Amino acid sequence: SLVLGTSITISSNHWIMAWAGLEINTLAILPLIAQSHHPRAIEAATKYFLTQAAASTLMLFSSMTNAWYTGQWDIAQLTHPTSCLILTSAIAMKLGLVPFHFWFPEVLQGSPLTTGLLLSTIMKFPPMTLFYMTSHSLNPTLLTCMAISSAALGGWMGLNQTQIRKILAFSSIAHLGWMTIIIAYNPKLTLLNFYLYILMTAATFLTLNTIKATKLSTLMTTWTKAPSLNAMLLLTLLSLAGLPPLTGFIPKWLIIQELTKQDMAPMATMISLLSLLGLFFYLRLAYCATITLPPHTTNHMKQWHTNKPTNTSIAILTTVSTLLLPI
């Protein structure tokens, strides 16, 4: 159902079809979130359902307003200013952009790591496609404001977290800020940023799923379990932060370049400075995962070294998410 919903949305030209795909997607991910029957998971599923239903309704409303005024349902021809505004807020709710970001960390924290991976990658794909198709008619000033505030809040709120899934949720919000700031000027860069973000996040989530770590304190003891994997986790996290020799630097570099071309150097400076906040908590994760070696003060059981070979997909994803730029 997830694949079906996603493919319906990304291949549709008609607003109703796009909406139907989004609805199928939402309903298909709910059992995956509520899988463990834990009250926290049920709460996350409920929150997710309410926000996504509201966002889908808003999207339907904006397309209907547009159809009412212009007489056509084509996604690429969204011309009426009111419907553009409503659509922007609907997509922001779908993706978790500031000011509609509150549901995302909560939902991610309540769901298992694999579902968290789906939520932060696949589930962002259909709204991103709609964003891409309508980007030429949306209001650039509004998008820039939302992008800067997303980067700021994603950085600031991630600083004080101890739960890894919440940290990854805030990192996702900050990345979405980078994608949104450029979409009105060069949407292809948004897609590039999105794809690379998917690669790096998938590598991080799958690694964490292998070593079964969900808190910073448990992450401190995982180096005994799979040392080489942990060493690569350090590089993947720094790549997510966007440090120069690694893959994550490509989109940042190109976006800053494009913003400077558009005479938006102050915005580029601002969003680059705000990404330093993100760098701080990625470094905290990396520090807990790889750099702190015992003896340290937290009393935890040492974990057994696993001799299972690392999953091939993790190996490929990690390699790609660190080495694309050097290659």
Side-chain angles (χ1 to χ4, degrees):
S1 294
L2 276 179
V3 174
L4 174 74
T6 308
S7 40
I8 286 178
T9 303
I10 62 182
S11 57
S12 62
N13 284 315
H14 194 288
W15 275 114
I16 298 287
M17 285 302 283
W19 170 80
L22 286 170
E23 285 294 325
I24 293 172
N25 245 357
T26 304
L27 293 174
I29 195 92
L30 285 175
L32 287 174
I33 301 175
Q35 216 171 4
S36 61
H37 297 297
H38 188 276
R40 185 73 184 81
I42 307 294
E43 181 194 343
T46 315
K47 283 177 179 168
Y48 185 78
F49 173 72
L50 290 173
T51 41
Q52 297 301 312
S56 299
T57 315
L58 271 179
M59 206 196 79
L60 200 56
F61 180 53
S62 84
S63 52
M64 277 170 69
T65 314
N66 191 56
W68 176 261
Y69 280 101
T70 59
Q72 42 81 26
W73 286 91
D74 195 4
I75 292 183
Q77 294 176 27
L78 189 77
T79 47
H80 193 254
T82 314
S83 42
C84 289
L85 208 65
I86 300 172
L87 183 83
T88 311
S89 55
I91 286 180
M93 271 175 95
K94 277 270 171 211
L95 290 171
L97 272 169
V98 172
F100 306 105
H101 62 287
F102 296 100
W103 62 273
F104 191 50
E106 295 293 321
V107 170
L108 214 60
Q109 180 54 34
S111 49
L113 280 166
T114 37
T115 311
L117 170 63
L118 286 177
L119 277 173
S120 41
T121 55
I122 309 285
M123 299 305 287
K124 302 261 158 106
F125 198 48
M128 217 58 194
T129 318
L130 296 176
F131 216 9
Y132 179 79
M133 287 170 77
T134 54
S135 58
H136 52 84
S137 53
L138 302 176
N139 180 355
T141 323
L142 178 66
L143 289 178
T144 310
C145 290
M146 284 169 80
I148 297 282
S149 51
S150 289
L153 272 162
W156 263 311
M157 294 178 74
L159 291 182
N160 217 6
Q161 303 292 339
T162 53
Q163 300 284 348
I164 298 175
R165 282 168 294 189
K166 274 197 176 170
I167 293 182
L168 285 169
F170 287 119
S171 102
S172 175
I173 293 170
H175 273 275
L176 281 168
W178 279 89
M179 290 174 220
T180 314
I181 199 165
I182 200 66
I183 196 156
Y185 309 104
N186 193 342
K188 286 198 172 60
L189 277 185
T190 299
L191 282 191
L192 171 78
N193 193 345
F194 184 56
Y195 294 145
L196 292 180
Y197 164 74
I198 285 185
L199 278 178
M200 299 182 290
T201 310
T204 314
F205 265 110
L206 289 172
T207 307
L208 290 170
N209 192 38
T210 308
I211 56 184
K212 297 279 180 285
T214 53
K215 287 202 294 292
L216 284 181
S217 53
T218 49
L219 194 61
M220 281 187 178
T221 60
T222 51
W223 64 274
T224 47
K225 205 169 181 179
S228 51
L229 193 57
N230 258 32
M232 284 310 281
L233 180 62
L234 166 78
L235 287 178
T236 314
L237 286 167
L238 293 184
S239 182
L240 260 176
L243 288 186
L246 305 164
T247 303
F249 184 57
I250 305 175
K252 287 194 170 34
W253 183 15
L254 294 173
I255 285 173
I256 290 173
Q257 193 181 352
E258 182 65 33
L259 285 175
T260 332
K261 278 183 198 161
Q262 300 286 349
D263 287 338
M264 290 172 68
M267 293 300 155
T269 315
M270 235 159 105
I271 200 162
S272 314
L273 287 173
L274 288 169
S275 74
L276 290 177
L277 292 167
L279 174 64
F280 179 79
F281 59 74
Y282 291 122
L283 278 175
R284 252 179 82 193
L285 273 173
Y287 183 79
C288 288
T290 326
I291 308 167
T292 39
L293 288 182
H296 55 67
T297 49
T298 47
N299 294 319
H300 272 295
M301 289 288 290
K302 288 281 176 290
Q303 304 206 24
W304 288 100
H305 186 98
T306 47
N307 282 327
K308 279 188 303 191
T310 307
N311 195 334
T312 324
S313 57
I314 299 182
I316 294 169
L317 281 168
T318 317
T319 315
V320 171
S321 64
T322 46
L323 291 179
L324 267 186
L325 184 54
I327 287 168

